[in-house]
Amino acid sequence: MSNGTTTYIDTDSAPRFMMSGDRILLEHLPVGTRCLYAKPPLQGLKDPDAAIRYALNNPLGMDPLHALLWPGMKVTIAFDDVSLPLPPMRRPDVRQRIIEIVLEILGDHGVDDIHLIAALAIHRRMTDDELRHVVGDKVFNAYAPDRLYNHDAEDPDNMVDFEKTEHGEWVDLNRRAAESDLIIYVNLNLVPMDGGHKSVAVGLSGYKALRAHHNPKVMSDKNSYMDPKTHGLHDSITRQGKVLEKELKVFQIETTINNRMFDGQLDVLTGHEDHFSDFEWTKLKGIKATLDRLPDDARQSLFYATPAAYELTGVWAGDVEQVHEKTLQKCFEQYAVDVKGQADILISGLAFVCPYNVHSYLNPLLVQVMAQGYYHNLFRGHPLLKKGGTLIIAHPFKDKFDPVHHAPYIEFVHRLLPETRDAYTLHKKYERAFAEDPTYVQMYRTGNSYHGAHPFFMWYWGEAGRQHMGRVIIAGAEDDYMCELFGYEAAANVQEAIDMARDTAPQSPQITHLHTPPIMTCDVTLDDASVANIGTGNGDGGQA
């Protein structure tokens, strides 16, 4: 029985597929399981370059870009880093298209004092190959390395402090951007959390500004940080952005893409099993068999060998808040799925990539941030999982970390988590020491490692989910100790995980399979039973 993007399993004959890291599982889920599927990809714009030019010439709440320019002015173009889209898109990247057109306009108006900065905050530095992929050969060859480079949040000579917000939140910014006559920000919006004031106020900031909102108190907000209008994270960032706008001119360019995550032979991974042809089933099983035979590194390489086929679906320019309003509308048009009623047991696979492990392994801390962070927060209205419900995640959950990208994660997990999982204790007792550790600072500044504070932020990112969920079971976990360290339970497979989850679920539990990738956001309304339970301790108390 099908209802748009929702399917209820009415027979045990048809398996459902889910990703488990860089493998594929075929699972028979219980009869009556509700399967939620993402919307099909929106139609991409037929002429992306024309749409970009139109946006630059017809901005929202500001003069056209060309009217803001004069010879000899100082312009900084900042752009989103390698953390999106996931996986990297085929060339030309949307950011390349925009930057090339912007540079053409700047050149036509005598502007030659131009720097391009990857706005990575305290994410890892992008490699030359990654920068080249984003901006294109022409721009990379003309500007790197002196005028095209990564933001360095730990360079004391190149960070500028501004006045604090009315709430006492610190505000700082990359010096080159702060001293520019115009900042042009090029955003690629993958999820509703992206864009808006977060682009400049976060992307070009440093640790002390990030602490204002990347902390356990803010991230414990029971609303969703994927719904920017309701969550304290975005309130704080907006206050910082408004401080910056008092002194700086920001021309915001935001884009949306569809959810065509896989292309070529992998395109079947965005499909719906009930609609598969015999050929598609054969192709899926062939991919699964191939992955099962390959070693870990080869499986990862296979997925990156075919860049994503994302297409531009919208582009707007001008005033930050007016632009972001349009972006969010289009973003939810692609991602928002109506769901009635919450789940007692929520099952999901987890793909090989998240914003923080591009070209490296999805380590256990990042599984946590996806499971109890992103997946929990992909809602508006009410969480998809009931308060105290059980989340089942399919992933091998190995004690495996990339020593180049995730060096501070290794110490965080192996030294700190055995002592405590309490986010407030970690925040007060250890965060600053990691952030200021000279080795981690050096690895961030000159290597390709995430900042020493980043594993703490990743832990806080899952704080609301930790408080909301009753149990987390990792299906297919290969390391029982690692599960215990995170407060999770290990199951040999999905079937065993479901049997375990039933032990603490209602007699006839509502089981939901969140069929990802591609991603979706759930507009969850309560069913009659859930409404009746509000206030009795059995519902979610009406909290979002």
Side-chain angles (χ1 to χ4, degrees):
M1 169 171 73
S2 177
N3 178 21
T5 55
T6 303
T7 296
Y8 290 87
I9 297 176
D10 55 14
T11 174
D12 60 2
S13 61
R16 305 286 146 166
F17 75 88
M18 60 185 73
M19 297 197 71
S20 176
D22 47 19
R23 292 182 183 269
I24 294 172
L25 306 179
L26 289 175
E27 299 288 343
H28 289 271
L29 301 179
V31 173
T33 298
R34 175 178 60 178
C35 299
L36 304 179
Y37 291 85
K39 291 179 179 178
L42 294 176
Q43 183 67 45
L45 299 178
K46 292 183 178 179
D47 191 338
D49 291 346
I52 292 166
R53 291 183 184 278
Y54 180 86
L56 301 180
N57 290 322
N58 297 273
L60 303 172
M62 292 182 72
D63 291 332
L65 177 59
H66 64 80
L68 303 176
L69 307 177
W70 65 87
M73 71 183 300
K74 180 184 288 189
V75 174
T76 294
I77 302 171
F79 55 91
D80 288 337
D81 72 349
V82 74
S83 61
L84 47 83
L86 305 171
M89 69 190 301
R90 63 189 179 192
R91 302 175 77 178
D93 187 286
V94 166
R95 287 158 291 192
Q96 174 186 336
R97 290 181 179 275
I98 294 172
I99 289 170
E100 288 181 346
I101 293 172
V102 167
L103 288 174
E104 177 188 322
I105 295 172
L106 296 180
D108 289 343
H109 290 78
V111 180
D112 55 14
D113 187 352
I114 305 166
H115 282 210
L116 296 98
I117 304 176
L120 48 85
I122 62 170
H123 291 177
R124 70 167 177 86
R125 288 160 43 88
M126 295 174 68
T127 65
D128 284 352
D129 286 344
E130 289 168 339
L131 285 168
R132 185 183 292 275
H133 183 90
V134 167
V135 304
D137 293 331
K138 180 180 177 182
V139 173
F140 184 87
N141 292 338
Y143 286 85
D146 297 334
R147 295 189 295 154
L148 167 62
Y149 48 86
N150 293 289
H151 169 59
D152 183 352
E154 286 291 344
D155 183 350
D157 295 329
N158 282 301
M159 294 297 294
V160 176
D161 292 336
F162 288 75
E163 66 178 84
K164 293 182 179 180
T165 71
E166 67 271 24
H167 286 220
E169 296 142 321
W170 204 283
V171 182
D172 62 5
L173 202 70
N174 177 282
R175 180 176 296 278
R176 165 69 200 197
E179 295 177 352
S180 293
D181 298 301
L182 180 65
I183 300 171
I184 301 173
Y185 198 96
V186 181
N187 154 270
L188 197 164
N189 195 283
L190 184 68
V191 292
M193 183 178 65
D194 301 332
H197 285 292
K198 185 171 180 283
S199 296
V200 172
V202 169
L204 295 175
S205 73
Y207 168 64
K208 58 188 178 184
L210 293 171
R211 278 174 56 90
H213 33 74
H214 284 56
N215 62 64
K217 182 178 180 180
V218 172
M219 299 314 297
S220 295
D221 192 328
K222 289 182 170 55
N223 293 299
S224 169
Y225 54 65
M226 293 294 181
D227 185 5
K229 295 182 179 180
T230 68
H231 196 276
L233 169 74
H234 301 279
D235 293 341
S236 177
I237 292 169
T238 296
R239 289 191 292 268
Q240 291 175 323
K242 288 184 178 297
V243 168
L244 294 174
E245 284 190 332
K246 292 179 183 178
E247 300 185 40
L248 305 176
K249 187 79 167 180
V250 177
F251 188 85
Q252 185 88 352
I253 306 170
E254 295 197 5
T255 64
T256 55
I257 55 177
N258 59 21
N259 61 355
R260 204 179 298 277
M261 181 176 178
F262 295 111
D263 197 15
Q265 291 298 312
L266 299 178
D267 63 355
V268 70
L269 298 180
T270 60
H272 188 317
E273 299 93 342
D274 290 344
H275 305 152
F276 277 179
S277 64
D278 290 342
F279 173 74
E280 287 171 318
W281 272 116
T282 300
K283 184 161 69 170
L284 177 66
K285 291 176 181 178
I287 296 171
K288 172 177 165 48
T290 300
L291 293 172
D292 288 345
R293 290 193 299 267
L294 293 174
D296 288 355
D297 291 345
R299 287 197 302 272
Q300 195 91 357
S301 297
L302 186 148
F303 279 108
Y304 281 110
T306 305
Y310 295 119
E311 298 170 295
L312 182 67
T313 59
V315 54
W316 301 270
D319 173 75
V320 173
E321 294 187 7
Q322 293 185 49
V323 165
H324 196 50
E325 182 66 30
K326 293 289 187 181
T327 304
L328 288 176
Q329 291 174 13
K330 180 61 72 171
C331 192
F332 283 120
E333 182 183 341
Q334 174 66 85
Y335 295 127
V337 174
D338 290 329
V339 179
K340 185 166 185 179
Q342 297 173 296
D344 297 296
I345 301 171
L346 179 61
I347 306 168
S348 183
L350 199 60
F352 64 99
V353 66
C354 84
Y356 316 108
N357 77 303
V358 177
H359 300 132
S360 61
Y361 187 73
L362 188 75
N363 64 59
L365 185 57
L366 294 179
V367 172
Q368 174 269 161
V369 80
M370 293 301 292
Q372 294 179 294
Y374 277 46
Y375 278 20
H376 170 70
N377 281 275
L378 286 169
F379 73 87
R380 292 189 296 183
H382 298 270
L384 182 55
L385 183 66
K386 287 181 182 177
K387 175 74 172 177
T390 298
L391 174 67
I392 296 173
I393 289 291
H395 194 271
F397 211 67
K398 296 188 238 181
D399 185 0
K400 182 176 178 179
F401 295 80
D402 186 296
V404 174
H405 290 178
H406 299 123
Y409 285 50
I410 299 171
E411 183 181 4
F412 178 91
V413 169
H414 289 90
R415 184 168 74 87
L416 303 191
L417 288 189
E419 176 184 330
T420 182
R421 291 193 294 268
D422 182 77
Y424 289 89
T425 300
L426 291 166
H427 174 65
K428 293 176 182 177
K429 189 173 181 181
Y430 293 113
E431 181 194 298
R432 188 176 292 276
F434 269 61
E436 297 175 354
D437 183 287
T439 299
Y440 291 146
V441 169
Q442 186 70 7
M443 294 176 76
Y444 160 80
R445 294 195 63 192
T446 62
N448 296 101
S449 175
Y450 281 86
H451 191 278
H454 202 259
F456 293 83
F457 292 176
M458 294 295 91
W459 191 251
Y460 311 152
W461 227 229
E463 184 63 16
R466 262 190 302 281
Q467 295 178 8
H468 183 84
M469 297 171 185
R471 301 167 70 187
V472 176
I473 303 174
I474 307 296
E478 298 182 15
D479 191 316
D480 290 354
Y481 171 72
M482 192 58 53
C483 287
E484 181 183 347
L485 203 56
F486 279 76
Y488 301 160
E489 300 169 64
N493 51 52
V494 172
Q495 300 303 322
E496 180 179 298
I498 294 172
D499 291 340
M500 292 168 60
R502 288 183 185 274
D503 291 343
T504 52
Q507 186 172 3
S508 298
Q510 203 298 310
I511 303 176
T512 293
H513 174 210
L514 187 66
H515 201 290
T516 59
I519 60 172
M520 69 191 89
T521 62
C522 296
D523 286 348
V524 182
T525 55
L526 299 182
D527 55 20
D528 294 340
S530 297
V531 172
N533 281 332
I534 291 178
T536 68
N538 298 319
D540 71 348
Q543 297 297 315

